[in-house]
């Protein structure tokens, strides 16, 4: 998902779907220690942060 998110032609609706599938709000609310407890946590957090930047209409941006 990270590669698709970073692609400049990725549609906003796809980004919104990714944010929902990832549960981006969850990963953005965790502190660093909690994120690092999961093997994939840092990657999920990075993707959630990128989605917040690339998708301004995402409700997660209100955090």
């Amino acid at each position: 998902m990270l590669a698709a998110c970073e692609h400049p032609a990725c549609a906003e609706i796809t980004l919104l779907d990714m944010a929902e599938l990832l549960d981006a709000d969850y990963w953005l609310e965790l502190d660093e220690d909690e994120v690092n407890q999961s093997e994939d946590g840092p990657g999920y957090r990075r993707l959630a942060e990128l989605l917040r930047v690339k998708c301004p209409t995402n409700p997660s941006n209100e955090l």
Side-chain angles (χ1 to χ4, degrees):
M1 281 200 309
L2 187 56
C5 183
E6 291 175 335
H7 195 282
C10 187
E12 185 174 356
I13 189 67
T14 303
L15 297 172
L16 288 168
D17 285 343
M18 280 192 239
E20 185 176 334
L21 288 170
L22 175 67
D23 197 5
D25 293 336
Y26 169 79
W27 290 101
L28 293 170
E29 291 172 357
L30 295 178
D31 63 35
E32 286 299 315
D33 289 335
E34 292 172 317
V35 169
N36 292 328
Q37 287 178 4
S38 168
E39 182 179 335
D40 296 322
Y44 292 158
R45 176 66 166 264
R46 180 172 173 230
L47 179 56
E49 290 170 347
L50 184 58
L51 288 166
R52 181 173 54 187
V53 170
K54 291 191 74 167
C55 195
T57 59
N58 183 357
S60 297
N61 292 339
E62 296 172 4
L63 292 177

